[in-house]
Amino acid sequence: MSSRPHIDYRAKSHLSDFAYACHRISDLLLACCIPLHFLMLSKSLRGAQGFEASLKLTDVWVFKFGEWALVILLAVHLAGGVRLLIIEFGPWRGLCKGSIQTSILFAILCGLLFLYFAD
């Protein structure tokens, strides 16, 4: 007889599992993106020449897409963290589908606002 617990696959298809996966994936991707962001910042702090080189590099569409993706990742991670805090410290029980939908809407809104205000 196996000592492994039986996994109920219905729980894995719930929206909260998707929100959990998004929170964890955004965490890993942010861990990859933030050092690159700090590298660009350190280059720009080395003087006017480094700053101009950084500005020229950021005019490429790949970097503009990367900044947009970074904002989306931060919004997803923030919304997932707030959702977990609501579940942990909230007065209700359960997985709170409404908070998951609100967090997804918040992340989409942050991305759209960034696109609107970016040059």
Side-chain angles (χ1 to χ4, degrees):
M1 189 163 170
S2 176
S3 63
R4 294 180 86 190
H6 178 67
I7 298 174
D8 187 5
Y9 290 103
R10 290 176 296 170
K12 292 290 182 186
S13 64
H14 195 273
L15 188 59
S16 65
D17 190 55
F18 175 73
Y20 171 79
C22 285
H23 183 73
R24 294 299 178 218
I25 290 170
S26 68
D27 190 21
L28 292 173
L29 291 174
L30 282 173
C32 295
C33 291
I34 294 293
L36 294 173
H37 197 71
F38 286 152
L39 178 67
M40 290 297 294
L41 182 62
S42 71
K43 281 187 174 188
S44 68
L45 291 176
R46 290 185 183 155
Q49 205 171 27
F51 183 68
E52 289 296 324
S54 295
L55 282 180
K56 285 180 187 174
L57 190 60
T58 58
D59 281 339
V60 180
W61 70 271
V62 174
F63 280 92
K64 292 184 186 227
F65 177 77
E67 287 294 319
W68 173 76
L70 187 64
V71 168
I72 292 291
L73 288 173
L74 286 169
V76 166
H77 194 70
L78 173 71
V82 169
R83 183 190 70 84
L84 288 175
L85 287 173
I86 288 171
I87 289 172
E88 192 70 29
F89 299 114
W92 51 84
R93 298 277 182 235
L95 297 173
C96 306
K97 266 190 175 179
S99 67
I100 297 169
Q101 293 164 351
T102 304
S103 64
I104 292 169
L105 183 64
F106 172 75
I108 291 170
L109 183 65
C110 285
L112 291 174
L113 283 172
F114 180 77
L115 286 177
Y116 179 74
F117 289 116
D119 288 333

